[in-house]
Amino acid sequence: MSIHYVCRHCGHKVGTLEEKVVDTEKLGFNHLTNEERTSFIQYAEDGSMSVNVICEDCQEALERNPDFHQYSTFIQ
Ligand SMILES: [Zn+2]
């Protein structure tokens, strides 16, 4: 299964993971509530997954503007 990491702020594709078996625990998904899971993770029709993360650029912008930090997530 492909897991695509996409920046939730600018839509930049951060990376793709190819996993035969997705270990949600390893990925830290088990720390999310069901609600968070549905908002961060999208399942595509082809069986791949998209995870909303923050890219380096947006992370840097957030660090420069700590006021925005409340909108950042713990998924990096
Ligand atoms: Zn970004």
Side-chain angles (χ1 to χ4, degrees):
M1 185 201 272
S2 305
I3 307 170
H4 304 289
Y5 287 84
V6 180
C7 177
R8 67 205 210 92
H9 293 288
C10 68
H12 176 74
K13 201 168 168 183
V14 180
T16 302
L17 263 185
E18 289 292 341
E19 299 274 353
K20 282 201 180 73
V21 178
V22 177
D23 186 345
T24 52
E25 214 163 291
K26 194 176 82 184
L27 296 170
F29 295 164
N30 60 321
H31 297 301
L32 300 174
T33 64
N34 279 340
E35 200 176 299
E36 285 166 336
R37 263 185 240 210
T38 14
S39 63
F40 292 138
I41 306 163
Q42 272 102 46
Y43 293 91
E45 278 176 22
D46 64 357
S48 67
M49 256 165 87
S50 292
V51 183
N52 294 326
V53 292
I54 297 179
C55 72
E56 277 179 28
D57 288 346
C58 291
Q59 178 67 34
E60 211 180 292
L62 286 168
E63 277 166 12
R64 273 196 238 113
N65 302 281
D67 286 352
F68 294 147
H69 224 265
Q70 55 184 311
Y71 301 114
S72 71
T73 72
F74 40 86
I75 308 180
Q76 297 293 325

